[in-house]
Amino acid sequence: MSAALLDGRVLASRLLAQARRRASAVARRLGRAPRLAIVAAADASAGSYLKAKIRACGAAGVDVVVHRLSPGPRAKTLGLLADLAGDASIDAFILETPYPRGVSASDAAAAIPPDKDAEGVTPGAYGRLFLAKTWKEASGLAAPCTALALARLALAAGAPLSGRRAVVVGRSATVGRPAAHLLSTLDMTVTLAHSRTRSLAALCREADVLVLAAGAPGLIRTSWVKRGAVLLDAGVNVVRGRLVGDAAPGAAARAGVLTPVPGGVGPVTTACAVLNTILLAERRTR
Ligand code: NAP
């Protein structure tokens, strides 16, 4: 039997409908819609993610202002970020990756104030997230979007989570590590695996929820998946011109529920960036 597909587009449109109601309430209080600024390189590298964010903002009633940066001095980029940080008409902003030449992740983290951090990628946002013990606390924060998306998909899968085993493959600051923390707020017992993990296959076979965030196509073989497991595949890899995740194509035969690639984690991640923007705008109205 093949796994049930957990369609991220369906969950994303449900989240964006909720976002729309909250955005209208913010608009009534602020006298304008919540507003997100996105800073992206002028070349095509950020293209499809940028378009998806603009569409999702439109669906939720969030204004979006896009700044396309031509290659230029680092100081110019940092100057723009400082302007956005000080601009009272901007509720949140995003510096798209890949960052403009000369700008590092730590530059970005220093330039984005935590109260305008739509992607939850600054030290302040991480600090707040790791202080949250329960899902109720964590889900009220502007946390890293892909990690939030993975936790929301785990909930949407409908399988019991409390006390069950989760294995997260990948320990990056933006995806695997915060996803592991968020699953622990859902009372799962979590193991965070990475490239030095021994016996990864055996570990994966114990997982009731298996999160893939390695960026390694086909890493997780069919026989590594516990029968009936929830398989959340954040991997985005291009293989012979096609987008694929980290799970081998046959994994659907053993999983109970599986996110497709594309159309699984990606759309929910985008919706989470929009929800984060609204959350930050709501805080400004208090
Ligand atoms: P990253 O920073 O490169 O981290 C990859 C992680 O995977 C590292 O912790 C690495 O271990 C681990 N890893 C790599 N190969 C492995 C292997 N063979 N066995 C076990 N662990 C392995 O990547 P990332 O930014 O977290 O992104 C991960 C994937 O998610 C990528 O495909 C990316 O495109 C995708 N992504 C998707 C979305 C979305 O919205 N769908 C958003 C962001 C990222 P070490 O730490 O030991 O090196």
Side-chain angles (χ1 to χ4, degrees):
M1 220 178 71
S2 198
L5 277 191
L6 183 52
D7 190 335
R9 286 165 297 204
V10 173
L11 177 57
S13 58
R14 213 181 314 142
L15 292 173
L16 290 173
Q18 288 167 16
R20 190 167 187 90
R21 287 191 287 279
R22 285 169 56 187
S24 326
V26 170
R28 281 195 295 279
R29 292 202 294 272
L30 275 183
R32 61 162 176 80
R35 188 168 295 136
L36 172 70
I38 304 178
V39 181
D43 62 36
S45 54
S48 61
Y49 293 118
L50 183 58
K51 279 190 199 139
K53 283 182 188 129
I54 293 170
R55 263 198 313 274
C57 284
V62 169
D63 282 349
V64 59
V65 185
V66 178
H67 296 269
R68 300 302 299 249
L69 278 176
S70 307
R74 174 175 173 271
K76 191 174 151 208
T77 309
L78 297 184
L80 171 60
L81 298 180
D83 289 346
L84 293 172
D87 184 341
S89 73
I90 298 293
D91 299 305
F93 61 99
I94 290 173
L95 178 61
E96 285 283 324
T97 52
Y99 294 132
R101 198 152 10 115
V103 175
S104 66
S106 51
D107 286 332
I112 303 175
D115 61 351
K116 288 197 176 187
D117 178 7
E119 291 193 308
V121 291
T122 55
Y126 286 123
R128 286 179 193 156
L129 175 65
F130 286 103
L131 287 173
K133 184 179 169 193
T134 63
W135 171 246
K136 188 162 182 252
E137 291 164 348
S139 58
L141 298 170
C145 300
T146 308
L148 262 181
L150 287 161
R152 290 190 184 282
L153 283 159
L155 282 166
L161 301 178
S162 178
R164 307 298 165 105
R165 292 288 307 269
V167 172
V168 179
V169 184
R171 59 176 164 179
S172 73
T174 48
V175 187
R177 209 175 279 260
H181 179 70
L182 283 167
L183 292 172
S184 80
T185 71
L186 289 166
D187 296 327
M188 299 206 75
T189 302
V190 186
T191 304
L192 185 57
H194 45 77
S195 67
R196 305 294 175 90
T197 296
R198 292 191 187 166
S199 310
L200 183 61
L203 200 59
C204 290
R205 277 188 208 108
E206 292 175 9
D208 301 299
V209 173
L210 182 55
V211 172
L212 310 183
L219 171 67
I220 304 303
R221 301 189 203 152
T222 307
S223 63
W224 296 15
V225 178
K226 181 175 176 177
R227 283 197 191 282
V230 174
L231 185 50
L232 306 176
D233 194 345
V236 178
N237 312 289
V238 180
V239 175
R240 289 187 288 279
R242 283 187 53 232
L243 274 191
V244 299
D246 290 348
R254 284 171 71 102
V257 181
L258 170 77
T259 53
V261 180
V265 179
V268 186
T269 297
T270 304
C272 287
V274 175
L275 279 166
N276 279 351
T277 299
I278 293 168
L279 186 84
L280 296 169
E282 284 168 344
R283 285 205 194 127
R284 291 159 67 86
T285 66
R286 279 179 206 143

